[in-house]
């Protein structure tokens, strides 16, 4: 039975969806004003694995990942570049999709945009006012009355009394209480704005997710995910808004992935240790980045350094080398491997343990590969099936092994093949010095040769 650590109850719980056979899942997506960084990549990969595994277990999954396409950062960046905010967001939505596709992230069922849900946002704000959970200020802003929701803080574990300490109303705020937060912001000059009962303006960030998630999945749904940094105040505010408006429990299981650290320091632009996905993909293949992300349990911190990515490359090289040259085979029974893999994944999506099972499977493939090709091929098919639930090992082995970092000498595949043939010819003519020279030249260029009974194969180091 699948168990999930529920951040709402702070314990592992047996997963029982609200509707048998169906799963509804919402994950907070990107605010599209810049390129995806490693933190975004982790969210996308983690919940892509959740999505894949639920589907592999026979669930019909509705997976919603929103796009925030209007907020202060977007407006400021568009103004800096002198372009309409819609042009900026479209540029970075396309970039996000390119990065996600490269990382093997499946497209969600739907990707709602905040700007396309103004009617739902306005309707939810109106209901909150009607129910006494929100109020319109004289300046056209609308605020959520935090003290009107007695269970505020139940996700983050924060109490209103603790939050009150040190809280204050900022100059220019029209809120009644420093804990209250904006649902609607009155229009400022030269900013995008929409008509509302309280005057022209735009929504606050928190209300966007409440409106989009309940519109897509209903008043109550199974899983809500996102980064740990969103627990408070964003997700706490979503609960207050959604349950205040609908009167129904909002989410059954809350999941948050851990922070990303760079060389054991928190990732931060101010520290100069901030990496975009594209910067990392300049040095490593996308599957290596994905594998690296899965080597840590999703709830644990993920520490980025080149050693860990090099280890990911080494692991995938071992996997694809085992698969190299194997014919297509019928999936082996391999019940012990399947059982252990599912036990790992059923334990709150424990991907490090699941990867350990794949390593054991590779070890067995290598043990029998030379003596029992048919059985090795069957185990290879099983390896691909299990790896597929993690979004791994779906490439052609030759493509992966020859697709590593490009050599400083810019050697093309054809040039490498020609040099290998020249080495074969030199060895046949017993010109050992020439054969060694070619081998050393390739090795210096990062090309690793592997001589076997079926000839010489190569891969990029």
């Amino acid at each position: 039975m699948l168990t999930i650590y529920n951040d709402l109850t702070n314990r592992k719980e047996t997963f029982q969806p609200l509707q048998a056979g169906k799963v509804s899942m919402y994950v907070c997506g990107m605010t599209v004003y810049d390129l995806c960084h490693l933190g975004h990549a982790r969210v996308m990969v983690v919940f892509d694995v959740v999505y894949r595994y639920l589907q592999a277990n026979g669930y019909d999954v509705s997976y919603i990942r929103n796009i925030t396409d209007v907020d202060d950062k977007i407006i400021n960046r568009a103004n800096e570049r002198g372009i309409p905010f819609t042009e900026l967001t479209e540029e970075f939505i396309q970039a996000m999709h390119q990065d996600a596709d490269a990382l093997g992230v499946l497209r969600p069922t739907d990707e709602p945009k905040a700007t396309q849900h103004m009617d739902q946002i306005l309707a939810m704000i109106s209901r909150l006012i009607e129910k006494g959970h929100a109020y319109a200020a004289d300046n056209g802003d609308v605020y959520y009355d935090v003290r009107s929701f007695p269970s505020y803080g139940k996700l983050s574990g924060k109490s209103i009394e603790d939050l009150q300490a040190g809280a204050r109303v900022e100059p220019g705020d029209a809120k009644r209480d420093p804990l209250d937060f904006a649902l609607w912001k009155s229009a400022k000059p030269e900013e995008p704005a929409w008509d509302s009962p309280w005057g022209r303006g735009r929504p606050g960030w928190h209300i966007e997710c409440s409106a989009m998630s309940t519109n897509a999945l209903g008043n109550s749904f199974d899983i809500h995910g996102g980064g740990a940094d969103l627990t408070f105040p964003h997700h706490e505010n979503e609960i207050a808004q959604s349950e205040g408006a609908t009167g129904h429990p909002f989410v059954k299981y809350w999941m948050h992935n851990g922070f990303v650290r760079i060389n054991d320091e928190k990732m931060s632009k101010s520290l100069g240790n901030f990496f975009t996905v594209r910067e990392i993909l300049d040095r490593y293949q996308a599957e290596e980045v994905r594998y690296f992300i899965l080597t840590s349990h999703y709830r644990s911190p993920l520490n980025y350094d080149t050693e860990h990515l090099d280890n990911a490359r080494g692991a995938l090289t071992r996997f694809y080398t085992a698969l190299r040259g194997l014919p297509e085979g019928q999936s082996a029974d391999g019940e012990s491997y399947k059982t252990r893999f599912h036990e790992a994944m059923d334990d709150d999506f424990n991907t490090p343990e699941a990867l350990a099972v794949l390593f054991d499977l590779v070890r067995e493939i290598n043990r029998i590969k030379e003596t029992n090709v048919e059985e090795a091929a069957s185990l290879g098919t099983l390896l691909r099936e299990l790896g597929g639930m993690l979004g791994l090992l779906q490439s052609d082995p030759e493509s992966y092994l020859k697709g590593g970092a490009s050599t400083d000498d810019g050697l093309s595949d054809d040039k490498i093949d020609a040099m290998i043939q020249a080495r074969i010819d030199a060895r046949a003519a017993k010109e050992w010095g020439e054969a060694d020279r070619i081998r050393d030249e390739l090795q210096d260029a990062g090309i690793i040769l592997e001589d076997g009974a079926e000839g010489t194969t190569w891969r990029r180091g």
Side-chain angles (χ1 to χ4, degrees):
M1 295 288 289
L2 173 62
T3 60
I4 295 177
Y5 188 92
N6 188 353
D7 285 324
L8 186 63
T9 60
N10 293 315
R11 65 174 184 265
K12 286 183 184 178
E13 298 178 358
T14 300
F15 180 64
Q16 295 179 319
L18 296 169
Q19 186 176 353
K22 296 182 180 293
V23 177
S24 46
M25 180 169 72
Y26 182 90
V27 174
C28 286
M30 277 189 64
T31 300
V32 283
Y33 72 99
D34 207 341
L35 294 172
C36 295
H37 57 62
L38 186 57
H40 297 131
R42 189 179 196 192
V43 174
M44 289 192 291
V45 169
V46 161
F47 289 100
D48 180 66
V49 169
V50 173
Y51 184 32
R52 288 172 180 268
Y53 190 67
L54 290 170
Q55 288 183 312
N57 279 273
Y59 288 109
D60 178 10
V61 184
S62 294
Y63 174 23
I64 310 299
R65 189 182 68 215
N66 76 295
I67 294 173
T68 296
D69 60 345
V70 60
D71 91 328
D72 291 341
K73 293 177 181 178
I74 291 171
I75 294 167
N76 293 338
R77 182 63 56 84
N79 289 340
E80 289 171 6
R81 292 179 51 180
I83 60 176
F85 84 99
T86 51
E87 182 179 333
L88 181 87
T89 57
E90 186 56 37
E91 173 188 338
F92 286 114
I93 288 170
Q94 291 183 19
M96 175 191 69
H97 284 151
Q98 290 169 358
D99 291 345
D101 291 347
L103 292 168
V105 174
L106 301 175
R107 296 289 175 95
T109 309
D110 193 18
E111 285 184 302
K113 300 177 183 177
T115 57
Q116 296 175 345
H117 288 75
M118 286 300 163
D119 289 345
Q120 292 84 358
I121 290 169
L122 293 172
M124 180 169 276
I125 295 173
S126 295
R127 285 198 299 275
L128 288 169
I129 293 174
E130 292 168 5
K131 293 189 173 189
H133 290 296
Y135 57 92
D138 293 338
N139 65 351
D141 292 347
V142 181
Y143 293 96
Y144 190 95
D145 181 358
V146 167
R147 293 182 186 277
S148 73
F149 190 70
S151 59
Y152 189 83
K154 62 184 177 181
L155 177 65
S156 61
K158 298 179 183 295
S159 69
I160 288 180
E161 290 72 25
D162 291 339
L163 292 170
Q164 179 65 39
R168 62 189 180 91
V169 177
E170 296 294 330
D173 276 353
K175 61 177 71 172
R176 297 172 183 168
D177 188 294
L179 298 183
D180 297 347
F181 57 89
L183 301 175
W184 188 259
K185 301 178 180 181
S186 58
K188 295 179 181 178
E190 307 302 321
E191 284 192 352
W194 289 260
D195 290 329
S196 83
W198 318 284
R200 285 181 64 76
R202 57 186 174 88
W205 175 39
H206 311 300
I207 194 67
E208 295 174 357
C209 279
S210 286
M212 286 187 283
S213 62
T214 54
N215 179 69
L217 300 173
N219 293 338
S220 302
F221 54 92
D222 295 307
I223 298 172
H224 194 315
D229 57 313
L230 300 182
T231 305
F232 185 88
H234 185 53
H235 290 164
E236 196 71 71
N237 291 351
E238 279 191 62
I239 293 174
Q241 293 165 159
S242 303
E243 295 188 358
T246 70
H248 295 280
F250 181 37
V251 173
K252 191 171 183 181
Y253 305 93
W254 283 90
M255 298 177 63
H256 295 94
N257 62 268
F259 292 104
V260 173
R261 301 177 67 81
I262 309 294
N263 295 324
D264 290 320
E265 289 185 308
K266 185 176 180 181
M267 186 176 71
S268 168
K269 286 184 178 179
S270 64
L271 294 174
N273 62 356
F274 196 85
F275 291 96
T276 67
V277 171
R278 296 187 179 195
E279 287 173 326
I280 300 170
L281 294 183
D282 283 340
R283 298 185 59 187
Y284 295 92
Q285 294 192 63
E287 190 171 358
E288 293 162 356
V289 179
R290 184 183 180 99
Y291 185 98
F292 155 67
I293 290 171
L294 298 181
T295 55
S296 292
H297 189 275
Y298 78 89
R299 295 181 60 240
S300 301
L302 177 69
N303 187 47
Y304 172 93
D305 62 31
T306 54
E307 181 182 355
H308 290 154
L309 278 162
D310 289 342
N311 290 341
R313 174 174 291 169
L316 284 170
T317 297
R318 180 173 173 81
F319 287 166
Y320 277 115
T321 300
L323 291 170
R324 190 181 213 171
L326 287 179
E328 292 290 331
Q330 296 293 320
S331 179
D333 287 337
E335 285 304 318
S336 64
Y337 298 107
K338 291 180 183 178
T339 298
R340 290 173 53 213
F341 182 89
H342 283 282
E343 284 176 349
M345 292 298 289
D346 285 345
D347 183 16
D348 193 30
F349 306 100
N350 192 335
T351 54
E353 286 298 320
L355 291 174
V357 176
L358 299 189
F359 265 106
D360 289 345
L361 187 50
V362 165
R363 191 176 294 111
E364 180 64 12
I365 291 171
N366 287 332
R367 188 183 71 81
I368 66 173
K369 193 174 182 180
E370 298 300 323
T371 58
N372 192 337
V373 175
E374 183 177 344
E375 179 67 13
S378 297
L379 291 176
T381 300
L382 177 60
L383 177 62
R384 286 186 179 277
E385 288 177 1
L386 298 179
M389 296 185 203
L390 305 177
L392 299 172
L393 304 178
Q394 304 305 295
S395 297
D396 172 66
E398 292 295 329
S399 297
Y400 172 80
L401 293 169
K402 294 181 179 180
S406 60
T407 67
D408 292 336
D409 293 330
L411 295 179
S412 67
D413 289 3
D414 288 344
K415 175 65 173 176
I416 294 168
D417 288 336
M419 291 175 70
I420 290 173
Q421 185 59 52
R423 175 175 176 262
I424 292 172
D425 294 342
R427 293 177 74 182
K430 297 185 179 181
E431 297 174 356
W432 309 116
E434 175 64 6
D436 289 345
R437 185 196 66 76
I438 295 171
R439 180 201 61 204
D440 292 343
E441 182 180 346
L442 288 168
Q443 183 172 311
D444 290 343
I447 305 302
I448 298 171
L449 302 185
E450 295 169 345
D451 295 317
E454 312 235 337
T456 300
T457 58
W458 63 271
R459 59 181 173 84
R460 297 187 190 271

